[in-house]
Amino acid sequence: MSSEQRIVPGTRFINPVVLNRIGSLELIARSVVDGFINGLHKAPYFGASVDFAEHRGYVPGDDIRRIDWRAYARTDRFYVKEYEADSNTNFSVLLDVSKSMAFGSQGLTKLEYARILAGCLTYFVHRQRDRVGIVTFDEDIVEYVPPSAKHMDTVLQVLDRVTPKRPSQLRSSLHKLAEHFGRRGIVVLISDLYEDPDVVLDAVGPLRSRGNDVIVFHVLDPAEIELSSMAASTFQDLESSEKIHIVPDVVRTEYLKLIQAHTEALKSRFTENHMDYAVINTSEPVDHALFNYLTARHHLMRSR
Amino acid sequence: MAFLAPLFLVGLIGVAIPILVHLIRREQNQVTPFPSLMFLRRIPYQAVRQRRSIRNLILLLVRLTAFVLIVLAFARPFFTGAASVMVEPGAREVVVLLDGSYSMGYSDHWPRALAAAKDVIQGLNQNDRASLVLFTSNVEILARSTSETNELLSALDAVALSAGATRYGPALQVAGSILAESSFSRREVILISDFQRSGWKVTNPVVLPSGTTLNSVVVNSGSEELNATVTTVSLDHSTSSTQDRVSVTATVFNQSEDAMKVSVALDIGDREFEVKQVDIDGQSTELVAFSPLVTSAQDIRGTVRLSKDALERDNIFHFLINHVEPLHVLVVGASSASGSTSLYIRRALSIGERPRFEVIEQSAESIEYEDLRKSSIVVLNDVRVMNTLAVQLQKYVEDGGGLLVVLGPRATWPAEVADILPVTLGVPVDQIGDPVVRIGSIQYGHTIFEPFQLPRSGDFSTARVYGYRSSVALSSSQVLAEFDTGLPALVERQVGSGRVLAWLSTLDLQWSDLPLKPVFLPFVHRMSQHLAAYVTPDPWLFVGQALNLKSVRVDGHNEGPNVVLTPSGRRLELNQGDTEVVELTEQGFYEIRGRLNASSSTVVASNIEVSESDLTPMDPMDILIATRADTESLSTNTMPQTREIQGQTQQIWWYLLCIGVFMLAVDTVLSNLLSKA
């Protein structure tokens, strides 16, 4: 081990406060739970699977078929291969990096918040020895990191270099992704979901239909939710550049109704399709948001 | 409606500014980035636009109104035609008080005052009556209660500025008395002045008749011009054995805020003696010292002149360098007496410049009446007075001479001669061996002891008296000082035209150590001056002062002057029995010629009151408040008066300004409420 420790870019998104808060919880894929309950669960950690995890020194009693002869040829020592257990889950974050995510009224943009959320969640899951990956998208796939136990650093690097540049196209992007998620796992979508609820469901549906445990974090800024602390001015759409002159005091009531209706419609559709949905207000600390969600999920799973 | 300051109306152009800003902002509005207009797009637009316009419009109107009101206030509006609506019926009694003090000569104040007075006179209605009063510290009624406009205008044309100072009190008193005698119900006083603060010194309240309207016309132009004043002159005399010299130092004050260069000239007689150039900072004083000049046997006229400025009257200061004849003192001592008896008297009288004393010593035996007549004062220094001398002394005193009798142990007076002594001559009392006697009680109110009354001005009680004459003062005498035994020490008696002082001890060291005390010298001088009726001549007097001609000595005599020539050349003939007090009304030199000898004369310098040069203004409202009889006299009936009077009376600008400021406050509160909402 080198005396100099390499600092991985994106490490800043792993917030110790957040991790400390959720450290006692688990994010276990429903499929794992279901499998466990139905007897499909095998060894809790390492076992035979097609996914190589690491080498271990041979000890008498190991199955000699698992000896890696190539490693012996290189090192004159006997090593056995360890594989990831079937109970280890694929965990992927689908992060919306479109231009609308660059909005923030209280210093922290939605994208910044989403990165922290994604980083903490990924690390949390990685600690559970699940495989982690990330996909960033806007109107198309921007970056794709398949889930793997070794991809933690890669995920953090992707989070670090993400920049919003283009408008979003939820349906086309997520439809492309669905093909890559053949193996069941946990898929976390983090987006501001500025689409019609039916369009959102149509975008996310294929992921669910492939057996993935889909969690949707609907990230919104307080100004988007309440239209507060904003002066009468010309509002410009960050993605389309369209302009409308708005007096927030006048339109607030109507606006609140519309956004509430939107979130309720999304909740209804996701619930119907067995997908978790949570509205995340960026004024709420990440640790609070994650703790509340994971606790609720834990209770819900226990109650089955 | 008219405006006193219409140029301010140009500011109304600024009203367009908030409107332009309002319109421009609607087009160049602040752009707020928003993630998505997905929901905002769905909200109806028409309602939003309408509601926004109404709210901003109210705020805009409030601001515009405040701005317009404040601009109008600065333009000083007043109603010209409204007078015909508000005027009460009936003729008016009007008193025009015109300030004729010399401060009105500053800049263009006097022409403006005359124009204002003319406006008032020409604005009188047919049945109105008016009085024209010119005032300084005195009051002169030029025309009284007349309806003849021509008479008033003629009187106005004859008016000229005087050298007097401003006093509002007497003028208002006269106005009040004129109005009190009037049968008209409508009474008005119009005061035209520069309203100097120094002129308002009313100790007794002046109340105008009830219902009187007092209007003020302020003639100050507002612009400040340079003005310097000669405030005083000091004359330092120095005497040498051969000649007397005087050094003249002028004090010059710059009334302006800015520094100025001043040329200061000293004229002696009719010729220019010396000129000096000085730089004086604003509101500062400079002392200008001229070279000494040699005095002569006659009075010397002097004038300090400054270069021309905004007020010329205060650029001149006249003075006299008085030639003072020495006082002749005849000290009579006994021929057998030692020189030390008169030593201290001689030495005390040898020191002194104004006046100088010329001392002659003679023995009592050798005195002739002619010797007495030539003397201003005779001192009998502890001598035996024989009959002949006593008779001569009596005549001398009765003719106006002054006699100091030092009653030492040897002093006598013949009983056969009418006693002119102020005391009965008592026996000598020798205090040697007994407790020392001191001078206990002193009449400090008497002119002899007046300079000693202040602390540390001289202490007589330190002198020790070893011997004195135990005497009693006559009833016709005045005891001026007593020993602490209760017996008189100094007694005075008026005899005929002269006076006698008796000192009941010695003025040498025989009976006291008073000659060794610091008070001895001034004491001897004061007694001598009092006996000689010596009056320190004033180098100058002031305009407004009364000159007592009895106190004026013409050619050494005081027999009453006959003719007074004023600086302007006016000739005042005074006959026997006429009042012998002349008021100084002009600046310059007054010449007083004697009754007996018309070719001899005395000069008196007359200067203006320098306080009048302080043009610090006062608020005319102070006079208005002080003179009102009741609130009715503050009526605001608008008359066809000058624009300034109308503007000041109506004070519409004040109400506009208050409302404008109130609107700004409303704007602040309204905009805060809207932003919070």
Side-chain angles (χ1 to χ4, degrees):
Chain A
M1 177 75 83
S2 166
S3 61
E4 294 177 358
Q5 292 192 348
R6 184 174 59 90
I7 299 174
V8 176
T11 313
R12 70 182 185 279
F13 299 113
I14 303 173
N15 191 319
V17 174
V18 177
L19 294 175
N20 186 50
R21 180 107 190 192
I22 63 176
S24 61
L25 300 175
E26 292 176 307
L27 179 63
I28 305 171
R30 285 202 178 88
S31 58
V32 174
V33 175
D34 294 341
F36 183 77
I37 292 170
N38 295 328
L40 297 176
H41 176 72
K42 294 179 181 175
Y45 296 107
F46 295 108
S49 81
V50 297
D51 296 321
F52 172 75
E54 61 183 9
H55 287 98
R56 177 174 60 80
Y58 174 81
V59 291
D62 286 335
D63 188 349
I64 60 171
R65 290 175 295 177
R66 292 172 63 194
I67 292 175
D68 188 347
W69 297 108
R70 287 184 180 175
Y72 174 72
R74 287 197 302 271
T75 63
D76 278 341
R77 289 188 180 182
F78 295 105
Y79 292 95
V80 296
K81 288 184 180 177
E82 292 279 352
Y83 293 90
E84 290 171 352
D86 290 338
S87 61
N88 293 116
T89 311
N90 284 348
F91 177 85
S92 286
V93 172
L94 307 184
L95 180 62
D96 182 352
V97 297
S98 63
K99 286 168 77 172
S100 63
M101 290 292 286
F103 179 80
S105 67
Q106 298 183 349
L108 195 67
T109 64
K110 288 186 291 185
L111 186 58
E112 277 282 331
Y113 192 98
R115 290 200 283 183
I116 297 172
L117 185 63
C120 292
L121 213 46
T122 304
Y123 185 80
F124 173 68
V125 170
H126 172 69
R127 227 170 42 184
Q128 289 180 164
R129 297 185 179 274
D130 288 329
R131 294 178 284 272
V132 295
I134 188 168
V135 178
T136 60
F137 68 94
D138 42 41
E139 61 185 6
D140 201 350
I141 308 292
V142 177
E143 285 200 62
Y144 170 66
V145 177
S148 170
K150 301 176 198 171
H151 283 171
M152 184 65 226
D153 288 351
T154 311
V155 168
L156 292 177
Q157 286 166 5
V158 168
L159 285 175
D160 182 61
R161 59 174 174 258
V162 129
T163 48
K165 291 178 185 173
R166 301 182 294 195
S168 68
Q169 270 294 334
L170 207 63
R171 181 156 44 190
S172 59
S173 302
L174 295 186
H175 280 182
K176 278 186 189 176
L177 278 175
E179 299 166 8
H180 294 276
F181 286 91
R183 184 171 173 171
R184 292 177 181 182
I186 299 175
V187 175
V188 175
L189 172 63
I190 304 175
S191 172
D192 50 8
L193 299 178
Y194 274 112
E195 290 280 3
D196 191 83
D198 292 329
V199 172
V200 173
L201 187 66
D202 185 52
V204 180
L207 290 167
R208 179 72 187 112
S209 62
R210 287 179 178 271
N212 292 299
D213 187 356
V214 178
I215 302 168
V216 177
F217 288 124
H218 188 180
V219 179
L220 290 172
D221 187 272
E224 293 174 290
I225 298 174
E226 298 157 9
L227 212 61
S228 58
S229 303
M230 303 195 86
S233 58
T234 299
F235 280 48
Q236 184 177 28
D237 191 306
L238 279 173
E239 293 191 355
S240 67
S241 298
E242 181 187 351
K243 291 182 184 178
I244 294 181
H245 189 84
I246 294 294
V247 179
D249 297 341
V250 173
V251 304
R252 183 171 292 112
T253 308
E254 196 64 33
Y255 178 84
L256 289 176
K257 285 182 190 171
L258 289 170
I259 203 154
Q260 192 173 4
H262 178 67
T263 55
E264 282 176 3
L266 285 171
K267 185 177 175 64
S268 167
R269 280 161 179 71
F270 285 133
T271 304
E272 285 168 5
N273 290 275
H274 305 289
M275 288 185 271
D276 282 351
Y277 169 78
V279 175
I280 304 292
N281 187 328
T282 57
S283 64
E284 187 183 9
V286 176
D287 58 324
H288 279 257
L290 263 183
F291 182 82
N292 291 338
Y293 168 71
L294 291 172
T295 309
R297 180 183 166 94
H298 183 70
H299 287 320
L300 189 62
M301 290 179 68
R302 276 190 165 203
S303 67
R304 289 185 179 172
Chain B
M1 174 179 278
F3 297 91
L4 288 179
L7 278 179
F8 275 104
L9 294 175
V10 173
L12 286 174
I13 293 173
V15 168
I17 295 174
I19 297 174
L20 285 172
V21 169
H22 181 77
L23 291 173
I24 290 170
R25 275 177 65 87
R26 295 180 66 174
E27 293 157 11
Q28 299 175 0
N29 225 331
Q30 182 185 355
V31 174
T32 302
F34 202 71
S36 176
L37 299 181
M38 189 173 102
F39 303 111
L40 293 170
R41 217 181 287 118
R42 298 177 188 173
I43 298 171
Y45 183 71
Q46 297 301 325
V48 170
R49 190 174 184 179
Q50 189 179 7
R51 289 284 296 275
R52 174 173 169 273
S53 299
I54 290 173
R55 188 186 315 126
N56 283 352
L57 198 56
I58 292 173
L59 209 55
L60 181 67
L61 284 174
V62 168
R63 287 174 184 169
L64 289 179
T65 307
F67 187 82
V68 168
L69 288 175
I70 290 171
V71 168
L72 285 178
F74 273 93
R76 300 286 298 276
F78 65 94
F79 294 104
T80 53
S84 60
V85 175
M86 294 180 68
V87 164
E88 301 168 26
R92 293 180 301 154
E93 184 76 49
V94 178
V95 177
V96 179
L97 298 177
L98 180 60
D99 184 351
S101 62
Y102 81 78
S103 66
M104 294 288 284
Y106 180 85
S107 187
D108 62 346
H109 290 186
W110 184 239
R112 289 160 65 95
L114 290 176
K118 198 170 182 180
D119 280 347
V120 171
I121 293 169
Q122 289 175 338
L124 294 171
N125 292 328
Q126 191 178 2
N127 295 326
D128 290 344
R129 284 204 312 227
S131 304
L132 181 62
V133 176
L134 182 71
F135 73 93
T136 57
S137 52
N138 294 328
V139 182
E140 184 182 354
I141 302 174
L142 302 176
R144 183 172 182 137
S145 294
T146 176
S147 302
E148 296 294 325
T149 309
N150 291 335
E151 181 184 341
L152 291 164
L153 289 173
S154 297
L156 186 65
D157 289 338
V159 161
L161 275 178
S162 77
T166 310
R167 294 290 180 269
Y168 295 107
L172 292 166
Q173 292 274 16
V174 167
S177 64
I178 294 173
L179 293 175
E181 293 170 4
S182 173
S183 57
F184 289 10
S185 60
R186 293 174 59 207
R187 302 165 190 178
E188 186 173 337
V189 175
I190 298 172
L191 178 55
I192 303 171
S193 172
D194 53 0
F195 288 93
Q196 281 177 284
R197 184 171 296 283
S198 60
W200 185 238
K201 295 175 186 173
V202 179
T203 53
N204 297 319
V206 178
V207 178
L208 294 173
S210 173
T212 301
T213 304
L214 175 61
N215 291 310
S216 55
V217 178
V218 182
V219 298
N220 293 4
S221 59
S223 62
E224 189 175 310
E225 298 178 35
L226 297 177
N227 178 38
T229 304
V230 183
T231 58
T232 191
V233 163
S234 68
L235 306 171
D236 296 320
H237 295 262
S238 60
T239 305
S240 67
S241 57
T242 54
Q243 54 187 204
D244 293 337
R245 286 170 175 256
V246 173
S247 297
V248 179
T249 304
T251 305
V252 182
F253 178 71
N254 181 0
Q255 303 276 1
S256 321
E257 295 292 333
D258 300 324
M260 62 186 293
K261 288 183 183 301
V262 181
S263 169
V264 187
L266 172 64
D267 294 342
I268 298 297
D270 294 327
R271 65 178 182 87
E272 189 177 271
F273 178 76
E274 191 177 0
V275 180
K276 293 213 168 179
Q277 306 292 332
V278 290
D279 292 322
I280 312 177
D281 292 335
Q283 291 289 313
S284 297
T285 300
E286 278 291 326
L287 298 178
V288 183
F290 295 95
S291 305
L293 59 112
V294 178
T295 61
S296 66
Q298 293 175 337
D299 293 343
I300 300 174
R301 301 187 194 196
T303 302
V304 173
R305 283 182 298 108
L306 303 182
S307 46
K308 199 173 178 181
D309 57 25
L311 182 61
E312 293 193 33
R313 281 272 191 182
D314 60 0
N315 293 355
I316 299 174
F317 200 95
H318 303 291
F319 59 91
L320 278 177
I321 303 174
N322 301 103
H323 173 72
V324 178
E325 287 290 335
L327 295 180
H328 300 279
V329 182
L330 175 62
V331 178
V332 181
S335 56
S336 59
S338 68
S340 63
T341 57
S342 299
L343 172 67
Y344 295 97
I345 297 173
R346 252 196 349 265
R347 286 194 175 171
L349 293 176
S350 69
I351 300 169
E353 291 183 357
R354 291 183 74 80
R356 273 192 309 117
F357 299 98
E358 287 186 353
V359 180
I360 297 173
E361 277 190 88
Q362 272 187 261
S363 63
E365 293 78 10
S366 64
I367 294 289
E368 299 287 336
Y369 181 73
E370 192 59 27
D371 298 324
L372 297 176
R373 203 181 69 80
K374 283 192 257 183
S375 305
S376 306
I377 311 154
V378 174
V379 179
L380 293 180
N381 190 17
D382 193 22
V383 294
R384 292 164 60 90
V385 176
M386 309 309 288
N387 282 13
T388 309
L389 181 57
V391 171
Q392 289 172 338
L393 286 170
Q394 182 181 3
K395 183 175 175 2
Y396 165 75
V397 173
E398 287 174 350
D399 285 346
L403 176 64
L404 172 61
V405 182
V406 180
L407 295 173
R410 290 181 289 272
T412 62
W413 189 270
E416 298 83 12
V417 180
D419 202 349
I420 61 171
L421 293 182
V423 296
T424 56
L425 200 57
V427 295
V429 176
D430 193 335
Q431 286 290 116
I432 291 177
D434 291 331
V436 168
V437 172
R438 297 189 188 269
I439 300 168
S441 165
I442 292 176
Q443 296 294 325
Y444 285 109
H446 192 271
T447 184
I448 291 176
F449 293 108
E450 201 176 346
F452 306 106
Q453 63 181 327
L454 293 176
R456 291 184 293 277
S457 299
D459 189 358
F460 283 86
S461 64
T462 59
R464 290 177 292 186
V465 177
Y466 312 116
Y468 55 92
R469 296 298 282 258
S470 170
S471 304
V472 175
L474 299 179
S475 58
S476 58
S477 303
Q478 182 185 3
V479 177
L480 304 182
E482 291 177 346
F483 298 115
D484 58 8
T485 57
L487 290 172
L490 182 67
V491 187
E492 181 184 15
R493 183 180 178 185
Q494 193 79 23
V495 179
S497 301
R499 47 174 69 101
V500 179
L501 282 175
W503 172 252
L504 295 166
S505 183
T506 61
L507 290 177
D508 54 25
L509 296 179
Q510 185 176 359
W511 265 2
S512 81
D513 64 355
L514 180 62
L516 301 180
K517 301 300 179 185
V519 295
F520 180 74
L521 185 146
F523 177 50
V524 171
H525 281 205
R526 293 298 296 178
M527 283 196 297
S528 303
Q529 290 170 14
H530 177 64
L531 287 171
Y534 173 80
V535 176
T536 306
D538 292 317
W540 62 81
L541 297 175
F542 290 102
V543 170
Q545 274 187 284
L547 174 63
N548 186 351
L549 298 176
K550 274 190 177 178
S551 65
V552 175
R553 285 176 174 270
V554 177
D555 197 22
H557 298 281
N558 191 15
E559 295 171 355
N562 196 18
V563 175
V564 176
L565 292 177
T566 67
S568 63
R570 242 175 355 121
R571 188 183 174 90
L572 303 175
E573 298 272 357
L574 299 173
N575 297 317
Q576 289 269 9
D578 283 350
T579 175
E580 295 188 1
V581 173
V582 172
E583 185 185 2
L584 302 176
T585 58
E586 298 176 26
Q587 182 185 20
F589 293 102
Y590 280 79
E591 193 176 335
I592 299 104
R593 292 182 180 166
R595 190 187 306 278
L596 298 177
N597 185 359
S599 60
S600 63
S601 63
T602 293
V603 177
V604 172
S606 172
N607 287 309
I608 54 172
E609 266 191 59
V610 293
S611 61
E612 183 71 8
S613 296
D614 178 8
L615 301 180
T616 305
M618 62 175 290
D619 186 355
M621 280 297 290
D622 294 343
I623 298 179
L624 184 69
I625 293 167
T627 56
R628 59 179 181 177
D630 51 51
T631 54
E632 290 177 2
S633 67
L634 288 176
S635 58
T636 55
N637 56 341
T638 53
M639 302 301 299
Q641 304 150 351
T642 62
R643 289 162 55 87
E644 285 79 11
I645 293 173
Q646 286 179 308
Q648 288 170 12
T649 304
Q650 296 172 18
Q651 294 202 324
I652 295 174
W653 68 272
W654 173 246
Y655 299 107
L656 291 175
L657 190 63
C658 287
I659 296 170
V661 170
F662 176 73
M663 296 294 279
L664 285 177
V666 168
D667 166 69
T668 305
V669 171
L670 202 57
S671 52
N672 280 341
L673 285 174
L674 290 172
S675 62
K676 281 180 185 172

PDB file of all heavy atoms in Angstrom, chain B residues 460-473:
ATOM      1  N   PHE B 460      -6.919 101.117  51.707  1.00  0.00           N
ATOM      2  CA  PHE B 460      -6.527 102.213  52.609  1.00  0.00           C
ATOM      3  C   PHE B 460      -6.299 101.715  54.027  1.00  0.00           C
ATOM      4  O   PHE B 460      -5.638 102.388  54.819  1.00  0.00           O
ATOM      5  CB  PHE B 460      -7.621 103.286  52.608  1.00  0.00           C
ATOM      6  CG  PHE B 460      -7.596 104.168  51.381  1.00  0.00           C
ATOM      7  CD1 PHE B 460      -8.247 103.780  50.226  1.00  0.00           C
ATOM      8  CD2 PHE B 460      -6.910 105.378  51.394  1.00  0.00           C
ATOM      9  CE1 PHE B 460      -8.215 104.590  49.095  1.00  0.00           C
ATOM     10  CE2 PHE B 460      -6.874 106.186  50.260  1.00  0.00           C
ATOM     11  CZ  PHE B 460      -7.524 105.803  49.105  1.00  0.00           C
ATOM     12  N   SER B 461      -6.873 100.585  54.354  1.00  0.00           N
ATOM     13  CA  SER B 461      -6.801 100.139  55.751  1.00  0.00           C
ATOM     14  C   SER B 461      -5.399  99.692  56.149  1.00  0.00           C
ATOM     15  O   SER B 461      -5.110  99.516  57.334  1.00  0.00           O
ATOM     16  CB  SER B 461      -7.795  98.989  55.976  1.00  0.00           C
ATOM     17  OG  SER B 461      -7.431  97.879  55.186  1.00  0.00           O
ATOM     18  N   THR B 462      -4.521  99.521  55.173  1.00  0.00           N
ATOM     19  CA  THR B 462      -3.159  99.114  55.536  1.00  0.00           C
ATOM     20  C   THR B 462      -2.338 100.296  56.070  1.00  0.00           C
ATOM     21  O   THR B 462      -1.307 100.097  56.712  1.00  0.00           O
ATOM     22  CB  THR B 462      -2.433  98.536  54.307  1.00  0.00           C
ATOM     23  OG1 THR B 462      -2.387  99.543  53.278  1.00  0.00           O
ATOM     24  CG2 THR B 462      -3.153  97.297  53.769  1.00  0.00           C
ATOM     25  N   ALA B 463      -2.805 101.514  55.796  1.00  0.00           N
ATOM     26  CA  ALA B 463      -2.050 102.687  56.267  1.00  0.00           C
ATOM     27  C   ALA B 463      -2.247 102.851  57.770  1.00  0.00           C
ATOM     28  O   ALA B 463      -3.360 102.712  58.275  1.00  0.00           O
ATOM     29  CB  ALA B 463      -2.531 103.931  55.524  1.00  0.00           C
ATOM     30  N   ARG B 464      -1.177 103.135  58.435  1.00  0.00           N
ATOM     31  CA  ARG B 464      -1.240 103.345  59.896  1.00  0.00           C
ATOM     32  C   ARG B 464      -1.185 104.832  60.183  1.00  0.00           C
ATOM     33  O   ARG B 464      -0.332 105.558  59.659  1.00  0.00           O
ATOM     34  CB  ARG B 464      -0.073 102.638  60.581  1.00  0.00           C
ATOM     35  CG  ARG B 464      -0.211 101.126  60.528  1.00  0.00           C
ATOM     36  CD  ARG B 464       0.968 100.436  61.129  1.00  0.00           C
ATOM     37  NE  ARG B 464       2.172 100.634  60.322  1.00  0.00           N
ATOM     38  CZ  ARG B 464       3.327 100.022  60.572  1.00  0.00           C
ATOM     39  NH1 ARG B 464       3.426  99.197  61.585  1.00  0.00           N
ATOM     40  NH2 ARG B 464       4.384 100.255  59.821  1.00  0.00           N
ATOM     41  N   VAL B 465      -2.093 105.252  61.034  1.00  0.00           N
ATOM     42  CA  VAL B 465      -2.199 106.681  61.376  1.00  0.00           C
ATOM     43  C   VAL B 465      -1.764 106.842  62.819  1.00  0.00           C
ATOM     44  O   VAL B 465      -2.359 106.223  63.721  1.00  0.00           O
ATOM     45  CB  VAL B 465      -3.645 107.177  61.171  1.00  0.00           C
ATOM     46  CG1 VAL B 465      -3.762 108.644  61.589  1.00  0.00           C
ATOM     47  CG2 VAL B 465      -4.078 106.985  59.721  1.00  0.00           C
ATOM     48  N   TYR B 466      -0.743 107.667  63.001  1.00  0.00           N
ATOM     49  CA  TYR B 466      -0.201 107.883  64.346  1.00  0.00           C
ATOM     50  C   TYR B 466      -0.743 109.146  64.990  1.00  0.00           C
ATOM     51  O   TYR B 466      -0.662 109.306  66.206  1.00  0.00           O
ATOM     52  CB  TYR B 466       1.330 107.973  64.299  1.00  0.00           C
ATOM     53  CG  TYR B 466       1.969 106.869  63.491  1.00  0.00           C
ATOM     54  CD1 TYR B 466       2.680 107.161  62.325  1.00  0.00           C
ATOM     55  CD2 TYR B 466       1.854 105.541  63.867  1.00  0.00           C
ATOM     56  CE1 TYR B 466       3.266 106.165  61.575  1.00  0.00           C
ATOM     57  CE2 TYR B 466       2.436 104.524  63.123  1.00  0.00           C
ATOM     58  CZ  TYR B 466       3.139 104.854  61.973  1.00  0.00           C
ATOM     59  OH  TYR B 466       3.694 103.855  61.222  1.00  0.00           O
ATOM     60  N   GLY B 467      -1.276 110.043  64.118  1.00  0.00           N
ATOM     61  CA  GLY B 467      -1.800 111.285  64.671  1.00  0.00           C
ATOM     62  C   GLY B 467      -2.821 111.879  63.730  1.00  0.00           C
ATOM     63  O   GLY B 467      -2.791 111.667  62.516  1.00  0.00           O
ATOM     64  N   TYR B 468      -3.763 112.627  64.273  1.00  0.00           N
ATOM     65  CA  TYR B 468      -4.808 113.245  63.469  1.00  0.00           C
ATOM     66  C   TYR B 468      -5.404 114.394  64.267  1.00  0.00           C
ATOM     67  O   TYR B 468      -5.149 114.562  65.468  1.00  0.00           O
ATOM     68  CB  TYR B 468      -5.885 112.225  63.111  1.00  0.00           C
ATOM     69  CG  TYR B 468      -6.515 111.510  64.292  1.00  0.00           C
ATOM     70  CD1 TYR B 468      -7.668 112.020  64.889  1.00  0.00           C
ATOM     71  CD2 TYR B 468      -5.954 110.339  64.790  1.00  0.00           C
ATOM     72  CE1 TYR B 468      -8.230 111.374  65.984  1.00  0.00           C
ATOM     73  CE2 TYR B 468      -6.522 109.693  65.870  1.00  0.00           C
ATOM     74  CZ  TYR B 468      -7.659 110.198  66.458  1.00  0.00           C
ATOM     75  OH  TYR B 468      -8.211 109.562  67.532  1.00  0.00           O
ATOM     76  N   ARG B 469      -6.232 115.181  63.560  1.00  0.00           N
ATOM     77  CA  ARG B 469      -6.945 116.273  64.226  1.00  0.00           C
ATOM     78  C   ARG B 469      -8.311 115.740  64.602  1.00  0.00           C
ATOM     79  O   ARG B 469      -9.063 115.234  63.766  1.00  0.00           O
ATOM     80  CB  ARG B 469      -7.079 117.486  63.291  1.00  0.00           C
ATOM     81  CG  ARG B 469      -5.773 118.135  62.895  1.00  0.00           C
ATOM     82  CD  ARG B 469      -5.021 118.691  64.086  1.00  0.00           C
ATOM     83  NE  ARG B 469      -5.559 119.956  64.534  1.00  0.00           N
ATOM     84  CZ  ARG B 469      -4.987 121.144  64.257  1.00  0.00           C
ATOM     85  NH1 ARG B 469      -3.877 121.194  63.523  1.00  0.00           N
ATOM     86  NH2 ARG B 469      -5.528 122.248  64.704  1.00  0.00           N
ATOM     87  N   SER B 470      -8.617 115.889  65.871  1.00  0.00           N
ATOM     88  CA  SER B 470      -9.916 115.441  66.346  1.00  0.00           C
ATOM     89  C   SER B 470     -10.918 116.526  66.004  1.00  0.00           C
ATOM     90  O   SER B 470     -11.011 117.552  66.694  1.00  0.00           O
ATOM     91  CB  SER B 470      -9.859 115.203  67.856  1.00  0.00           C
ATOM     92  OG  SER B 470     -11.157 115.000  68.356  1.00  0.00           O
ATOM     93  N   SER B 471     -11.652 116.330  64.910  1.00  0.00           N
ATOM     94  CA  SER B 471     -12.534 117.385  64.418  1.00  0.00           C
ATOM     95  C   SER B 471     -13.919 116.832  64.179  1.00  0.00           C
ATOM     96  O   SER B 471     -14.135 115.615  64.145  1.00  0.00           O
ATOM     97  CB  SER B 471     -11.980 117.966  63.105  1.00  0.00           C
ATOM     98  OG  SER B 471     -10.659 118.435  63.283  1.00  0.00           O
ATOM     99  N   VAL B 472     -14.840 117.786  63.994  1.00  0.00           N
ATOM    100  CA  VAL B 472     -16.228 117.425  63.714  1.00  0.00           C
ATOM    101  C   VAL B 472     -16.614 118.033  62.377  1.00  0.00           C
ATOM    102  O   VAL B 472     -16.356 119.226  62.151  1.00  0.00           O
ATOM    103  CB  VAL B 472     -17.162 117.931  64.828  1.00  0.00           C
ATOM    104  CG1 VAL B 472     -18.609 117.670  64.467  1.00  0.00           C
ATOM    105  CG2 VAL B 472     -16.797 117.279  66.165  1.00  0.00           C
ATOM    106  N   ALA B 473     -17.247 117.243  61.527  1.00  0.00           N
ATOM    107  CA  ALA B 473     -17.654 117.767  60.220  1.00  0.00           C
ATOM    108  C   ALA B 473     -18.862 118.665  60.367  1.00  0.00           C
ATOM    109  O   ALA B 473     -19.755 118.413  61.195  1.00  0.00           O
ATOM    110  CB  ALA B 473     -17.992 116.594  59.288  1.00  0.00           C
TER     111      ALA B 473
END
